[in-house]
Amino acid sequence: MNTFAENSGRVADAPSDNWVYRILPRAAWPYAQLARWDRPIGWQLLMWPCFWSSALAANVLQGEGRLSLSLFAFHLVLFFVGSVAMRGAGCTYNDLVDHEIDMAVARTRSRPLPSGRVSRLQAKLFMAAQALTGLFVLLCFNGFAIGLGVLSLAVVAIYPFAKRFTDWPQFFLGLAFSWGGLMGWAGLFGSLSLPVVLLYIAAVAWTIGYDTIYAHQDKEDDALIGVRSTARLFGENTRAWLVGLYGLTLVLLAVAFFAAGAGFLAFAGLLVAGGMLVYQIAVLDIDDAAQCLELFKSNSRVGAIVFLGLLAALPFA
């Protein structure tokens, strides 16, 4: 049993004043930690591409005079619930796959599985419950979106193993985490088209960028146990890679917005988000783990700004 986890019920890299520890009974803490409810940044970053995609589709429909605001709002609620549920299921699955690796990494050995506070069977049952919640959400969409959502499971299943066979596990994370960039549009249109494909690729590039920053926290432990990552691959050239990845994100989003005929405020939001990404690159210190974590978390604000720009653009579409 991990002494820190046993004594405090916390995990080493999670904030101790989170609502999980103030509201939930102590017996529920390990499950909340498996789902990362104490670290909302994950479901936020999963949710923003969904919101971008749905809002971009809403701009197109608004321009055609066919937007149902009630359906658009309902879909945003579904994407919120689905993001929390599926991020939790994905994290639980990832912890099951990485059980042995997490025991060898200082930052992760206090998690519920390596610390022994939940069994593998309990984790599997909890993962199934979260996945069923995600399935219920998915079934609220049209048939095309349902099929598209099912396809995402193949990428989700591969991601936890990617760090074992490629230096680009962040690419597989991007494919999985950005899938909502297709789902929002599919939910309103029942099909896909060029603007949303560009948005999806942009979200993949964004994800590789911000998760590379995140992975710099663990690069020493990863090197010792043979876990591969773009942080280790890029090394001292990380800033140059981020220029390319974040630059690609902004260019593709701008082209997607233009192709979809989004209102001018969407581009204003994108300009502000671009400034925030430039700031991340300018101040990044890859050897400062605490700063890497804060810069990683700041990407939720980037996602929110892009969405709010698209939302504000609706009346002008």
Side-chain angles (χ1 to χ4, degrees):
M1 172 75 74
N2 181 278
T3 303
F4 175 85
E6 183 178 37
N7 292 339
S8 69
R10 312 293 208 270
V11 290
D13 59 341
S16 61
D17 61 345
N18 188 269
W19 69 269
V20 162
Y21 306 113
R22 289 183 277 108
I23 297 176
L24 295 183
R26 190 180 178 102
W29 290 3
Y31 297 97
Q33 292 162 357
L34 278 174
R36 309 294 197 272
W37 293 342
D38 55 338
R39 283 173 279 185
I41 182 61
W43 65 255
Q44 291 167 359
L45 291 173
L46 183 62
M47 180 185 73
W48 289 127
C50 305
F51 275 31
W52 295 355
S53 179
S54 193
L56 186 61
N59 270 262
V60 176
L61 291 171
Q62 176 72 2
E64 297 173 354
R66 298 192 294 124
L67 176 62
S68 168
L69 286 174
S70 60
L71 181 62
F72 173 51
F74 177 56
H75 282 190
L76 294 183
V77 173
L78 290 177
F79 285 129
F80 164 70
V81 175
S83 295
V84 174
M86 293 312 295
R87 188 261 184 152
C91 286
T92 306
Y93 173 66
N94 192 71
D95 282 5
L96 284 163
V97 172
D98 286 349
H99 190 168
E100 298 300 322
I101 290 176
D102 285 346
M103 292 181 70
V105 176
R107 187 177 62 83
T108 58
R109 66 171 59 107
S110 59
R111 288 179 178 175
L113 274 168
S115 67
R117 287 177 292 129
V118 295
S119 68
R120 290 184 64 84
L121 176 60
Q122 289 170 325
K124 289 175 182 178
L125 291 173
F126 182 55
M127 178 182 68
Q130 294 174 93
L132 286 173
T133 301
L135 177 61
F136 174 79
V137 168
L138 182 61
L139 293 177
C140 293
F141 290 99
N142 60 59
F144 181 86
I146 291 171
L148 190 64
V150 171
L151 286 177
S152 71
L153 296 178
V155 181
V156 171
I158 292 170
Y159 164 65
F161 301 99
K163 68 188 73 174
R164 294 164 169 82
F165 65 79
T166 178
D167 290 324
W168 290 84
Q170 280 70 28
F171 171 70
F172 288 90
L173 177 68
L175 294 178
F177 247 58
S178 304
W179 203 265
L182 301 173
M183 292 293 296
W185 184 285
L188 288 176
F189 276 110
S191 64
L192 297 177
S193 61
L194 179 61
V196 73
V197 172
L198 294 175
L199 184 148
Y200 174 67
I201 299 171
V204 172
W206 179 50
T207 304
I208 296 171
Y210 68 62
D211 203 62
T212 296
I213 294 175
Y214 182 83
H216 271 290
Q217 296 177 91
D218 297 328
K219 58 191 174 187
E220 288 84 6
D221 284 332
D222 287 348
L224 288 172
I225 60 179
V227 169
R228 300 158 77 175
S229 72
T230 49
R232 292 184 60 202
L233 178 66
F234 298 166
E236 296 298 326
N237 295 318
T238 292
R239 184 174 282 109
W241 276 96
L242 288 177
V243 169
L245 289 164
Y246 283 167
L248 182 63
T249 299
L250 296 170
V251 168
L252 289 178
L253 285 177
V255 175
F257 292 2
F258 180 79
F264 71 94
L265 287 176
F267 295 92
L270 190 58
L271 185 63
V272 174
M276 297 169 74
L277 294 176
V278 169
Y279 174 79
Q280 287 182 37
I281 297 170
V283 303
L284 175 65
D285 179 355
I286 60 173
D287 296 317
D288 185 340
Q291 189 221 42
C292 286
L293 181 59
E294 287 307 309
L295 290 178
F296 163 75
K297 289 181 177 180
S298 73
N299 280 281
S300 183
R301 295 191 290 275
V302 173
I305 290 296
V306 173
F307 169 67
L308 290 175
L310 286 165
L311 199 63
L314 277 175
F316 307 99

Short mmCIF file of all heavy atoms in Angstrom, two decimals, residues 209-273:
data_model
loop_
_atom_site.label_atom_id
_atom_site.label_comp_id
_atom_site.label_asym_id
_atom_site.label_seq_id
_atom_site.Cartn_x
_atom_site.Cartn_y
_atom_site.Cartn_z
N GLY A 209 0.31 19.22 -29.09
CA GLY A 209 1.08 20.31 -28.49
C GLY A 209 0.93 20.38 -26.99
O GLY A 209 1.92 20.37 -26.24
N TYR A 210 -0.32 20.46 -26.52
CA TYR A 210 -0.48 20.65 -25.08
C TYR A 210 -0.11 19.39 -24.29
O TYR A 210 0.37 19.48 -23.15
CB TYR A 210 -1.88 21.16 -24.72
CG TYR A 210 -3.07 20.25 -24.92
CD1 TYR A 210 -3.20 19.04 -24.24
CD2 TYR A 210 -4.13 20.65 -25.74
CE1 TYR A 210 -4.32 18.24 -24.41
CE2 TYR A 210 -5.25 19.86 -25.91
CZ TYR A 210 -5.35 18.65 -25.23
OH TYR A 210 -6.47 17.87 -25.38
N ASP A 211 -0.29 18.20 -24.88
CA ASP A 211 0.08 17.00 -24.12
C ASP A 211 1.59 16.78 -24.13
O ASP A 211 2.11 16.11 -23.23
CB ASP A 211 -0.63 15.77 -24.67
CG ASP A 211 -0.71 14.67 -23.62
OD1 ASP A 211 -1.35 14.90 -22.57
OD2 ASP A 211 -0.12 13.59 -23.82
N THR A 212 2.29 17.33 -25.10
CA THR A 212 3.75 17.31 -25.06
C THR A 212 4.24 18.12 -23.86
O THR A 212 5.14 17.69 -23.13
CB THR A 212 4.34 17.89 -26.36
OG1 THR A 212 3.98 17.04 -27.46
CG2 THR A 212 5.85 17.98 -26.27
N ILE A 213 3.64 19.29 -23.66
CA ILE A 213 3.98 20.10 -22.47
C ILE A 213 3.72 19.30 -21.21
O ILE A 213 4.56 19.25 -20.30
CB ILE A 213 3.18 21.41 -22.48
CG1 ILE A 213 3.60 22.29 -23.66
CG2 ILE A 213 3.38 22.16 -21.15
CD1 ILE A 213 2.76 23.55 -23.82
N TYR A 214 2.56 18.65 -21.13
CA TYR A 214 2.21 17.84 -19.97
C TYR A 214 3.22 16.72 -19.74
O TYR A 214 3.63 16.45 -18.61
CB TYR A 214 0.80 17.26 -20.17
CG TYR A 214 0.29 16.44 -19.01
CD1 TYR A 214 -0.30 17.04 -17.91
CD2 TYR A 214 0.40 15.04 -19.02
CE1 TYR A 214 -0.78 16.29 -16.85
CE2 TYR A 214 -0.06 14.29 -17.96
CZ TYR A 214 -0.66 14.92 -16.88
OH TYR A 214 -1.13 14.17 -15.83
N ALA A 215 3.64 16.06 -20.83
CA ALA A 215 4.52 14.89 -20.71
C ALA A 215 5.91 15.26 -20.22
O ALA A 215 6.64 14.37 -19.75
CB ALA A 215 4.60 14.18 -22.06
N HIS A 216 6.28 16.52 -20.31
CA HIS A 216 7.60 16.92 -19.81
C HIS A 216 7.70 16.76 -18.29
O HIS A 216 8.82 16.69 -17.76
CB HIS A 216 7.93 18.36 -20.22
CG HIS A 216 8.61 18.46 -21.54
ND1 HIS A 216 9.91 18.04 -21.74
CD2 HIS A 216 8.17 18.91 -22.75
CE1 HIS A 216 10.25 18.24 -23.00
NE2 HIS A 216 9.22 18.76 -23.64
N GLN A 217 6.58 16.66 -17.60
CA GLN A 217 6.60 16.42 -16.15
C GLN A 217 7.23 15.06 -15.82
O GLN A 217 7.85 14.90 -14.77
CB GLN A 217 5.19 16.42 -15.58
CG GLN A 217 4.44 17.72 -15.69
CD GLN A 217 3.03 17.55 -15.15
OE1 GLN A 217 2.77 17.76 -13.97
NE2 GLN A 217 2.12 17.13 -16.02
N ASP A 218 7.01 14.08 -16.71
CA ASP A 218 7.37 12.69 -16.40
C ASP A 218 8.56 12.18 -17.20
O ASP A 218 8.86 10.99 -17.17
CB ASP A 218 6.17 11.77 -16.69
CG ASP A 218 4.97 12.07 -15.82
OD1 ASP A 218 5.17 12.50 -14.67
OD2 ASP A 218 3.84 11.89 -16.30
N LYS A 219 9.27 13.05 -17.89
CA LYS A 219 10.26 12.55 -18.86
C LYS A 219 11.38 11.76 -18.20
O LYS A 219 11.89 10.79 -18.79
CB LYS A 219 10.82 13.71 -19.68
CG LYS A 219 11.48 14.81 -18.86
CD LYS A 219 11.76 16.01 -19.74
CE LYS A 219 12.29 17.17 -18.90
NZ LYS A 219 12.41 18.40 -19.71
N GLU A 220 11.79 12.14 -16.98
CA GLU A 220 12.87 11.39 -16.32
C GLU A 220 12.41 9.98 -15.96
O GLU A 220 13.10 8.99 -16.24
CB GLU A 220 13.35 12.12 -15.06
CG GLU A 220 14.15 13.37 -15.34
CD GLU A 220 13.27 14.59 -15.58
OE1 GLU A 220 12.04 14.47 -15.42
OE2 GLU A 220 13.82 15.65 -15.94
N ASP A 221 11.22 9.88 -15.33
CA ASP A 221 10.70 8.56 -14.99
C ASP A 221 10.42 7.75 -16.25
O ASP A 221 10.67 6.54 -16.29
CB ASP A 221 9.41 8.69 -14.17
CG ASP A 221 9.68 9.09 -12.73
OD1 ASP A 221 10.77 8.77 -12.22
OD2 ASP A 221 8.79 9.71 -12.11
N ASP A 222 9.88 8.42 -17.28
CA ASP A 222 9.58 7.73 -18.54
C ASP A 222 10.84 7.13 -19.15
O ASP A 222 10.83 6.02 -19.69
CB ASP A 222 8.92 8.68 -19.53
CG ASP A 222 7.48 9.02 -19.16
OD1 ASP A 222 6.93 8.35 -18.27
OD2 ASP A 222 6.92 9.95 -19.77
N ALA A 223 11.93 7.89 -19.09
CA ALA A 223 13.20 7.41 -19.64
C ALA A 223 13.70 6.17 -18.89
O ALA A 223 14.23 5.23 -19.49
CB ALA A 223 14.25 8.52 -19.60
N LEU A 224 13.52 6.16 -17.58
CA LEU A 224 13.99 5.05 -16.76
C LEU A 224 13.23 3.76 -17.05
O LEU A 224 13.81 2.67 -17.05
CB LEU A 224 13.87 5.40 -15.27
CG LEU A 224 14.86 6.43 -14.73
CD1 LEU A 224 14.50 6.81 -13.30
CD2 LEU A 224 16.29 5.88 -14.80
N ILE A 225 11.93 3.89 -17.31
CA ILE A 225 11.11 2.67 -17.49
C ILE A 225 10.79 2.39 -18.95
O ILE A 225 10.07 1.45 -19.27
CB ILE A 225 9.81 2.75 -16.67
CG1 ILE A 225 8.95 3.95 -17.10
CG2 ILE A 225 10.12 2.82 -15.19
CD1 ILE A 225 7.64 4.05 -16.34
N GLY A 226 11.31 3.23 -19.86
CA GLY A 226 11.17 2.96 -21.28
C GLY A 226 9.86 3.41 -21.91
O GLY A 226 9.50 2.94 -22.99
N VAL A 227 9.15 4.32 -21.25
CA VAL A 227 7.92 4.85 -21.82
C VAL A 227 8.27 5.96 -22.81
O VAL A 227 9.07 6.85 -22.50
CB VAL A 227 6.99 5.40 -20.70
CG1 VAL A 227 5.84 6.20 -21.30
CG2 VAL A 227 6.44 4.24 -19.88
N ARG A 228 7.66 5.93 -23.98
CA ARG A 228 8.00 6.87 -25.04
C ARG A 228 6.98 8.01 -25.09
O ARG A 228 5.83 7.84 -24.70
CB ARG A 228 8.06 6.12 -26.37
CG ARG A 228 9.10 5.03 -26.35
CD ARG A 228 8.87 3.94 -27.39
NE ARG A 228 9.27 4.37 -28.72
CZ ARG A 228 9.25 3.55 -29.77
NH1 ARG A 228 8.86 2.30 -29.65
NH2 ARG A 228 9.64 4.00 -30.96
N SER A 229 7.43 9.18 -25.57
CA SER A 229 6.54 10.34 -25.64
C SER A 229 7.15 11.38 -26.57
O SER A 229 8.36 11.35 -26.85
CB SER A 229 6.34 10.97 -24.25
OG SER A 229 7.51 11.63 -23.81
N THR A 230 6.32 12.31 -27.02
CA THR A 230 6.84 13.42 -27.82
C THR A 230 7.71 14.35 -26.98
O THR A 230 8.58 15.03 -27.53
CB THR A 230 5.70 14.21 -28.47
OG1 THR A 230 4.71 14.53 -27.48
CG2 THR A 230 5.05 13.42 -29.60
N ALA A 231 7.48 14.39 -25.68
CA ALA A 231 8.34 15.21 -24.83
C ALA A 231 9.77 14.71 -24.89
O ALA A 231 10.72 15.50 -25.01
CB ALA A 231 7.83 15.18 -23.39
N ARG A 232 9.95 13.40 -24.81
CA ARG A 232 11.29 12.82 -24.92
C ARG A 232 11.83 12.95 -26.34
O ARG A 232 13.02 13.19 -26.55
CB ARG A 232 11.26 11.35 -24.50
CG ARG A 232 10.98 11.12 -23.02
CD ARG A 232 11.07 9.65 -22.68
NE ARG A 232 12.42 9.15 -22.97
CZ ARG A 232 12.71 7.86 -23.18
NH1 ARG A 232 11.75 6.95 -23.15
NH2 ARG A 232 13.95 7.49 -23.42
N LEU A 233 10.96 12.78 -27.33
CA LEU A 233 11.38 12.87 -28.73
C LEU A 233 11.82 14.28 -29.10
O LEU A 233 12.87 14.48 -29.72
CB LEU A 233 10.24 12.43 -29.63
CG LEU A 233 10.48 12.51 -31.14
CD1 LEU A 233 11.57 11.53 -31.57
CD2 LEU A 233 9.19 12.25 -31.91
N PHE A 234 11.03 15.28 -28.72
CA PHE A 234 11.33 16.66 -29.09
C PHE A 234 12.47 17.23 -28.25
O PHE A 234 13.27 18.01 -28.75
CB PHE A 234 10.09 17.54 -28.92
CG PHE A 234 8.91 17.16 -29.78
CD1 PHE A 234 7.64 17.69 -29.51
CD2 PHE A 234 9.04 16.29 -30.84
CE1 PHE A 234 6.55 17.36 -30.29
CE2 PHE A 234 7.94 15.95 -31.63
CZ PHE A 234 6.70 16.48 -31.34
N GLY A 235 12.49 16.88 -26.96
CA GLY A 235 13.54 17.35 -26.06
C GLY A 235 13.71 18.85 -26.08
O GLY A 235 12.75 19.61 -25.92
N GLU A 236 14.93 19.31 -26.30
CA GLU A 236 15.23 20.74 -26.29
C GLU A 236 14.62 21.48 -27.48
O GLU A 236 14.59 22.71 -27.51
CB GLU A 236 16.75 20.96 -26.29
CG GLU A 236 17.45 20.44 -25.04
CD GLU A 236 16.99 21.14 -23.78
OE1 GLU A 236 16.68 22.36 -23.85
OE2 GLU A 236 16.92 20.49 -22.72
N ASN A 237 14.13 20.75 -28.46
CA ASN A 237 13.48 21.37 -29.62
C ASN A 237 11.96 21.50 -29.45
O ASN A 237 11.26 21.79 -30.42
CB ASN A 237 13.77 20.53 -30.88
CG ASN A 237 15.25 20.54 -31.25
OD1 ASN A 237 15.90 21.58 -31.18
ND2 ASN A 237 15.76 19.38 -31.63
N THR A 238 11.48 21.29 -28.23
CA THR A 238 10.04 21.32 -27.99
C THR A 238 9.41 22.64 -28.42
O THR A 238 8.34 22.65 -29.04
CB THR A 238 9.74 21.06 -26.50
OG1 THR A 238 10.09 19.70 -26.18
CG2 THR A 238 8.26 21.28 -26.19
N ARG A 239 10.07 23.75 -28.12
CA ARG A 239 9.48 25.05 -28.47
C ARG A 239 9.27 25.17 -29.98
O ARG A 239 8.22 25.65 -30.44
CB ARG A 239 10.37 26.18 -27.93
CG ARG A 239 9.78 27.57 -28.17
CD ARG A 239 10.59 28.67 -27.50
NE ARG A 239 10.31 28.74 -26.07
CZ ARG A 239 11.16 28.38 -25.12
NH1 ARG A 239 12.35 27.88 -25.45
NH2 ARG A 239 10.84 28.49 -23.85
N ALA A 240 10.24 24.74 -30.77
CA ALA A 240 10.10 24.81 -32.23
C ALA A 240 8.96 23.92 -32.72
O ALA A 240 8.20 24.30 -33.62
CB ALA A 240 11.42 24.39 -32.90
N TRP A 241 8.83 22.73 -32.13
CA TRP A 241 7.73 21.84 -32.50
C TRP A 241 6.38 22.46 -32.14
O TRP A 241 5.41 22.33 -32.90
CB TRP A 241 7.89 20.49 -31.80
CG TRP A 241 8.81 19.55 -32.53
CD1 TRP A 241 10.14 19.34 -32.30
CD2 TRP A 241 8.46 18.69 -33.61
NE1 TRP A 241 10.65 18.41 -33.17
CE2 TRP A 241 9.63 17.99 -33.99
CE3 TRP A 241 7.27 18.45 -34.31
CZ2 TRP A 241 9.64 17.05 -35.02
CZ3 TRP A 241 7.29 17.52 -35.34
CH2 TRP A 241 8.45 16.83 -35.69
N LEU A 242 6.31 23.14 -31.00
CA LEU A 242 5.06 23.79 -30.60
C LEU A 242 4.68 24.91 -31.55
O LEU A 242 3.50 25.12 -31.82
CB LEU A 242 5.18 24.32 -29.17
CG LEU A 242 5.20 23.27 -28.05
CD1 LEU A 242 5.40 23.96 -26.70
CD2 LEU A 242 3.92 22.45 -28.05
N VAL A 243 5.68 25.63 -32.05
CA VAL A 243 5.39 26.66 -33.05
C VAL A 243 4.68 26.03 -34.24
O VAL A 243 3.68 26.54 -34.75
CB VAL A 243 6.68 27.37 -33.50
CG1 VAL A 243 6.41 28.24 -34.72
CG2 VAL A 243 7.26 28.22 -32.36
N GLY A 244 5.20 24.88 -34.70
CA GLY A 244 4.59 24.20 -35.83
C GLY A 244 3.21 23.64 -35.52
O GLY A 244 2.26 23.81 -36.30
N LEU A 245 3.08 22.99 -34.36
CA LEU A 245 1.81 22.35 -34.00
C LEU A 245 0.72 23.38 -33.71
O LEU A 245 -0.40 23.27 -34.23
CB LEU A 245 2.01 21.45 -32.79
CG LEU A 245 2.82 20.17 -33.05
CD1 LEU A 245 3.30 19.55 -31.75
CD2 LEU A 245 1.98 19.16 -33.85
N TYR A 246 1.04 24.37 -32.89
CA TYR A 246 0.04 25.40 -32.57
C TYR A 246 -0.23 26.27 -33.80
O TYR A 246 -1.37 26.71 -34.00
CB TYR A 246 0.52 26.25 -31.40
CG TYR A 246 0.38 25.60 -30.04
CD1 TYR A 246 1.02 26.14 -28.92
CD2 TYR A 246 -0.40 24.47 -29.85
CE1 TYR A 246 0.88 25.57 -27.66
CE2 TYR A 246 -0.53 23.90 -28.60
CZ TYR A 246 0.11 24.45 -27.50
OH TYR A 246 -0.04 23.89 -26.26
N GLY A 247 0.80 26.53 -34.61
CA GLY A 247 0.58 27.28 -35.83
C GLY A 247 -0.36 26.55 -36.78
O GLY A 247 -1.27 27.16 -37.36
N LEU A 248 -0.18 25.24 -36.91
CA LEU A 248 -1.08 24.44 -37.75
C LEU A 248 -2.50 24.48 -37.20
O LEU A 248 -3.46 24.58 -37.98
CB LEU A 248 -0.56 22.99 -37.79
CG LEU A 248 -1.36 22.01 -38.66
CD1 LEU A 248 -1.35 22.43 -40.12
CD2 LEU A 248 -0.81 20.59 -38.48
N THR A 249 -2.63 24.41 -35.90
CA THR A 249 -3.95 24.49 -35.26
C THR A 249 -4.68 25.76 -35.67
O THR A 249 -5.84 25.73 -36.11
CB THR A 249 -3.81 24.46 -33.73
OG1 THR A 249 -3.19 23.23 -33.33
CG2 THR A 249 -5.16 24.60 -33.05
N LEU A 250 -4.00 26.89 -35.54
CA LEU A 250 -4.63 28.18 -35.82
C LEU A 250 -4.95 28.36 -37.30
O LEU A 250 -6.03 28.84 -37.65
CB LEU A 250 -3.71 29.31 -35.34
CG LEU A 250 -3.48 29.36 -33.82
CD1 LEU A 250 -2.37 30.36 -33.49
CD2 LEU A 250 -4.76 29.73 -33.08
N VAL A 251 -4.04 27.94 -38.16
CA VAL A 251 -4.28 28.07 -39.60
C VAL A 251 -5.47 27.22 -40.03
O VAL A 251 -6.36 27.68 -40.76
CB VAL A 251 -3.01 27.70 -40.39
CG1 VAL A 251 -3.33 27.56 -41.88
CG2 VAL A 251 -1.92 28.74 -40.20
N LEU A 252 -5.50 25.97 -39.59
CA LEU A 252 -6.59 25.08 -39.99
C LEU A 252 -7.93 25.54 -39.43
O LEU A 252 -8.96 25.43 -40.11
CB LEU A 252 -6.29 23.64 -39.55
CG LEU A 252 -5.17 22.93 -40.31
CD1 LEU A 252 -4.94 21.53 -39.74
CD2 LEU A 252 -5.48 22.85 -41.80
N LEU A 253 -7.94 26.04 -38.20
CA LEU A 253 -9.20 26.55 -37.64
C LEU A 253 -9.67 27.77 -38.44
O LEU A 253 -10.87 27.89 -38.73
CB LEU A 253 -9.02 26.91 -36.17
CG LEU A 253 -8.97 25.74 -35.18
CD1 LEU A 253 -8.72 26.26 -33.76
CD2 LEU A 253 -10.26 24.92 -35.22
N ALA A 254 -8.73 28.64 -38.80
CA ALA A 254 -9.11 29.83 -39.58
C ALA A 254 -9.70 29.43 -40.93
O ALA A 254 -10.72 29.97 -41.37
CB ALA A 254 -7.90 30.74 -39.76
N VAL A 255 -9.07 28.45 -41.59
CA VAL A 255 -9.59 27.99 -42.89
C VAL A 255 -10.95 27.33 -42.71
O VAL A 255 -11.87 27.53 -43.53
CB VAL A 255 -8.59 27.03 -43.55
CG1 VAL A 255 -9.18 26.44 -44.84
CG2 VAL A 255 -7.28 27.74 -43.86
N ALA A 256 -11.11 26.55 -41.65
CA ALA A 256 -12.39 25.89 -41.38
C ALA A 256 -13.49 26.93 -41.15
O ALA A 256 -14.61 26.80 -41.67
CB ALA A 256 -12.27 24.97 -40.17
N PHE A 257 -13.18 27.96 -40.36
CA PHE A 257 -14.16 29.02 -40.09
C PHE A 257 -14.54 29.73 -41.38
O PHE A 257 -15.72 30.02 -41.62
CB PHE A 257 -13.60 30.03 -39.09
CG PHE A 257 -13.41 29.50 -37.68
CD1 PHE A 257 -13.69 28.19 -37.36
CD2 PHE A 257 -12.92 30.33 -36.68
CE1 PHE A 257 -13.52 27.71 -36.06
CE2 PHE A 257 -12.73 29.87 -35.39
CZ PHE A 257 -13.02 28.56 -35.08
N PHE A 258 -13.55 30.02 -42.21
CA PHE A 258 -13.81 30.71 -43.47
C PHE A 258 -14.66 29.84 -44.40
O PHE A 258 -15.63 30.31 -45.01
CB PHE A 258 -12.49 31.07 -44.16
CG PHE A 258 -12.65 31.78 -45.46
CD1 PHE A 258 -12.95 33.13 -45.52
CD2 PHE A 258 -12.52 31.08 -46.67
CE1 PHE A 258 -13.12 33.79 -46.73
CE2 PHE A 258 -12.68 31.72 -47.89
CZ PHE A 258 -12.99 33.07 -47.92
N ALA A 259 -14.31 28.56 -44.49
CA ALA A 259 -15.05 27.65 -45.37
C ALA A 259 -16.49 27.47 -44.93
O ALA A 259 -17.38 27.27 -45.75
CB ALA A 259 -14.35 26.29 -45.43
N ALA A 260 -16.72 27.57 -43.61
CA ALA A 260 -18.07 27.41 -43.08
C ALA A 260 -18.86 28.72 -43.07
O ALA A 260 -20.04 28.72 -42.76
CB ALA A 260 -18.00 26.84 -41.67
N GLY A 261 -18.19 29.83 -43.37
CA GLY A 261 -18.87 31.12 -43.35
C GLY A 261 -19.19 31.61 -41.96
O GLY A 261 -20.21 32.28 -41.74
N ALA A 262 -18.32 31.29 -41.00
CA ALA A 262 -18.54 31.73 -39.62
C ALA A 262 -18.48 33.25 -39.53
O ALA A 262 -17.78 33.91 -40.30
CB ALA A 262 -17.49 31.11 -38.70
N GLY A 263 -19.21 33.81 -38.55
CA GLY A 263 -19.22 35.25 -38.34
C GLY A 263 -17.87 35.79 -37.93
O GLY A 263 -16.99 35.04 -37.45
N PHE A 264 -17.67 37.09 -38.08
CA PHE A 264 -16.34 37.69 -37.85
C PHE A 264 -15.85 37.54 -36.43
O PHE A 264 -14.64 37.49 -36.17
CB PHE A 264 -16.36 39.17 -38.26
CG PHE A 264 -17.14 40.06 -37.34
CD1 PHE A 264 -16.50 40.74 -36.31
CD2 PHE A 264 -18.51 40.22 -37.50
CE1 PHE A 264 -17.21 41.57 -35.46
CE2 PHE A 264 -19.23 41.05 -36.65
CZ PHE A 264 -18.58 41.73 -35.63
N LEU A 265 -16.75 37.45 -35.46
CA LEU A 265 -16.32 37.32 -34.07
C LEU A 265 -15.65 35.98 -33.80
O LEU A 265 -14.87 35.86 -32.84
CB LEU A 265 -17.50 37.53 -33.12
CG LEU A 265 -18.00 38.97 -33.00
CD1 LEU A 265 -19.23 39.06 -32.11
CD2 LEU A 265 -16.89 39.87 -32.45
N ALA A 266 -15.93 34.99 -34.64
CA ALA A 266 -15.23 33.71 -34.50
C ALA A 266 -13.73 33.90 -34.74
O ALA A 266 -12.90 33.31 -34.04
CB ALA A 266 -15.79 32.69 -35.49
N PHE A 267 -13.38 34.75 -35.69
CA PHE A 267 -11.97 35.01 -35.99
C PHE A 267 -11.34 35.86 -34.89
O PHE A 267 -10.15 35.72 -34.60
CB PHE A 267 -11.85 35.69 -37.35
CG PHE A 267 -12.29 34.81 -38.49
CD1 PHE A 267 -13.59 34.85 -38.95
CD2 PHE A 267 -11.40 33.93 -39.09
CE1 PHE A 267 -14.00 34.05 -40.01
CE2 PHE A 267 -11.80 33.11 -40.14
CZ PHE A 267 -13.11 33.17 -40.59
N ALA A 268 -12.13 36.73 -34.28
CA ALA A 268 -11.61 37.52 -33.15
C ALA A 268 -11.26 36.60 -31.99
O ALA A 268 -10.22 36.76 -31.34
CB ALA A 268 -12.65 38.56 -32.73
N GLY A 269 -12.14 35.64 -31.71
CA GLY A 269 -11.85 34.67 -30.65
C GLY A 269 -10.61 33.85 -30.96
O GLY A 269 -9.78 33.59 -30.08
N LEU A 270 -10.47 33.48 -32.22
CA LEU A 270 -9.31 32.70 -32.64
C LEU A 270 -8.02 33.51 -32.48
O LEU A 270 -6.98 32.98 -32.09
CB LEU A 270 -9.48 32.27 -34.09
CG LEU A 270 -8.49 31.25 -34.64
CD1 LEU A 270 -8.50 29.97 -33.82
CD2 LEU A 270 -8.80 30.95 -36.10
N LEU A 271 -8.09 34.81 -32.72
CA LEU A 271 -6.92 35.67 -32.56
C LEU A 271 -6.49 35.73 -31.10
O LEU A 271 -5.30 35.65 -30.78
CB LEU A 271 -7.25 37.08 -33.07
CG LEU A 271 -6.09 38.09 -33.07
CD1 LEU A 271 -4.98 37.63 -34.01
CD2 LEU A 271 -6.60 39.47 -33.47
N VAL A 272 -7.47 35.85 -30.20
CA VAL A 272 -7.15 35.87 -28.77
C VAL A 272 -6.55 34.53 -28.34
O VAL A 272 -5.55 34.48 -27.62
CB VAL A 272 -8.42 36.18 -27.94
CG1 VAL A 272 -8.12 36.05 -26.43
CG2 VAL A 272 -8.94 37.57 -28.26
N ALA A 273 -7.17 33.43 -28.80
CA ALA A 273 -6.64 32.10 -28.47
C ALA A 273 -5.22 31.94 -28.99
O ALA A 273 -4.36 31.36 -28.32
CB ALA A 273 -7.56 31.03 -29.06
#
